Amino acid sequence: MYHLDNRFLDFMKKYISAHGAPKAIGPYSQAVLVNGFLYVSGQIPIHVETGDIVEDIEGATHQVMKNLKAILEEAGMSFENVIKTSIFLKNMRDFQTVNSVYASYLEEGCYPARETVEVSRLPKGVCIEISLIAYRE
């Protein structure tokens, strides 16, 4: 079994903090880049400039995607680099609206792998949260 010394792993990790996305609301990073893989923490619909939460599902989805885009750009990536997303919805009846907005940020035919699940609660009572994994060589 191969064991990687944590001090070595820390050297290989780069913590990403984008000014164009809301600061983490807990003890976690917006994103961590390791060996070309970018692991982006779940983003909720907080408007970065005002701190307000976007309530309606269409606007909330746009805000989450803008927050994700800012983090990707800070890491030198774009939605084209995304290989996996996870969408958490407070209400699965919002699926079609979310799907439409989400697709508008991606190139048709080059969609990442994804799951969408309904959950009973999300941080700050929001209606949507999206996390992702991206890669670049």
Side-chain angles (χ1 to χ4, degrees), residues 8-59:
F8 181 69
L9 186 59
D10 285 341
F11 177 75
M12 297 171 17
K13 287 191 282 188
K14 181 178 179 187
Y15 298 92
I16 305 298
S17 181
H19 296 291
K23 293 182 180 190
I25 59 175
Y28 60 89
S29 299
Q30 283 179 339
V32 179
L33 182 63
V34 180
N35 293 331
F37 286 93
L38 182 68
Y39 300 89
V40 180
S41 296
Q43 295 298 299
I44 60 176
I46 296 176
H47 191 281
V48 69
E49 293 172 8
T50 65
D52 293 337
I53 292 175
V54 180
E55 300 283 337
D56 70 285
I57 191 62
E58 184 173 354

Side-chain angles (χ1 to χ4, degrees), residues 32-129:
V32 179
L33 182 63
V34 180
N35 293 331
F37 286 93
L38 182 68
Y39 300 89
V40 180
S41 296
Q43 295 298 299
I44 60 176
I46 296 176
H47 191 281
V48 69
E49 293 172 8
T50 65
D52 293 337
I53 292 175
V54 180
E55 300 283 337
D56 70 285
I57 191 62
E58 184 173 354
T61 306
H62 276 292
Q63 187 61 57
V64 169
M65 296 301 285
K66 289 174 188 175
N67 295 345
L68 290 167
K69 181 180 180 187
I71 295 168
L72 287 165
E73 288 176 349
E74 184 70 26
M77 296 187 194
S78 70
F79 283 114
E80 291 178 5
N81 297 98
V82 176
I83 57 175
K84 176 77 164 69
T85 60
S86 298
I87 301 176
F88 305 95
L89 295 176
K90 192 171 180 180
N91 189 334
M92 193 57 82
R93 286 179 286 213
D94 294 330
F95 181 82
Q96 292 302 328
T97 301
V98 169
N99 220 29
S100 177
V101 173
Y102 171 88
S104 73
Y105 287 82
L106 304 167
E107 184 179 333
E108 189 172 341
C110 298
Y111 301 128
R114 181 186 94 182
E115 67 269 331
T116 304
V117 295
E118 182 180 78
V119 296
S120 61
R121 297 179 78 188
L122 288 166
K124 297 194 174 276
V126 299
C127 56
I128 185 170
E129 180 174 0

